[in-house]
Amino acid sequence: MDPLIRKIVMMTEDVVAELGRPVDRISRRAVAAAVIRNPWHGRGHVADLQPEVRDVAPHLARALTGRLIEALGGADRIEAFGKAAIVGVDGETEHGSALIHTPYFGDVLRDAVDGTSIIVFSEQRAAPGTPLTVPMWHKTASATRSHYQTVEIRVGDAPRPDEIVVIAAASSGSRPNARIGDRTTDSTVEITELEGATS
């Protein structure tokens, strides 16, 4: 195990009913979060973050993606994905961004689950135990509205001031009972029509 990693937290959820009605399809959402020591902590402003990114990000991506694939029953079962980072208060938001927004993390995650979409994300700097909402969308068709969804993760004792929580999330399907249509079924809407409807 990488000495930077303090622990890895996994969470899964299966929504089986909405408003007392069974969902039309049960989808599993999974989140994998690695709590790591911030590799730039205590060094002040570091101009070039790339050496640490190259060393750390691929390892994290492989560790987290492997757990998501296992939790959802295979890469072919994953339909949506997302990523996130929570930086401890002694770090910069840029530290979290560095670890999730480069090919060393994103491409590893995307390739492992046969995705082609840009990976939607969230990030923040926060105290231990702060919850973060992680967005997800379709892994090959990011404009597919049915797969716009979120999952929340909270690690009670992380991130400590000198830590970062790096997160990958995935879903085996759409939102429960998704029914707002899609771009392929949308009618043409003119701005003037909208203005008339609200005046």
Side-chain angles (χ1 to χ4, degrees), residues 1 6 10 21 23 25 96 109 118 120 153 163 165 181 187:
M1 186 62 72
R6 178 162 69 86
M10 279 292 304
R21 176 190 179 95
V23 298
R25 176 188 173 196
L109 169 56
I118 292 173
V120 66
I153 182 73
E163 291 181 330
V165 182
S187 58

Side-chain angles (χ1 to χ4, degrees), residues 16-103:
V16 299
E18 285 283 308
L19 297 178
R21 176 190 179 95
V23 298
D24 49 17
R25 176 188 173 196
I26 297 174
S27 297
R28 170 164 290 184
R29 296 172 183 158
V31 187
V35 179
I36 70 164
R37 179 174 53 81
N38 184 336
W40 302 284
H41 180 260
R43 295 169 55 189
H45 177 82
V46 178
D48 182 6
L49 305 178
Q50 287 303 303
E52 291 78 13
V53 169
R54 287 191 295 268
D55 288 343
V56 176
H59 175 69
L60 293 176
R62 285 191 294 268
L64 299 180
T65 303
R67 285 166 170 79
L68 292 179
I69 291 171
E70 181 178 359
L72 296 181
D76 60 324
R77 297 288 306 279
I78 293 175
E79 295 184 11
F81 56 17
K83 61 186 179 180
I86 312 174
V87 180
V89 295
D90 284 350
E92 295 180 66
T93 306
E94 186 71 0
H95 296 160
S97 295
L99 292 176
I100 66 173
H101 289 319
T102 69

Side-chain angles (χ1 to χ4, degrees), residues 173-192:
S174 65
R175 293 188 312 277
N177 299 335
R179 56 192 185 278
I180 61 170
D182 216 325
R183 291 186 179 185
T184 58
T185 60
D186 286 348
S187 58
T188 302
V189 177
E190 299 290 340
I191 297 300
T192 54

Side-chain angles (χ1 to χ4, degrees), residues 9 11 31 33 84-87 122-135 150-159 165 167:
V9 177
M11 186 201 77
V31 187
I86 312 174
V87 180
S122 62
E123 58 196 11
Q124 66 179 6
R125 180 167 51 190
T130 300
L132 181 66
T133 299
V134 185
T150 60
V151 64
E152 186 175 87
I153 182 73
R154 176 184 176 276
V155 182
D157 66 345
V165 182
I167 301 158

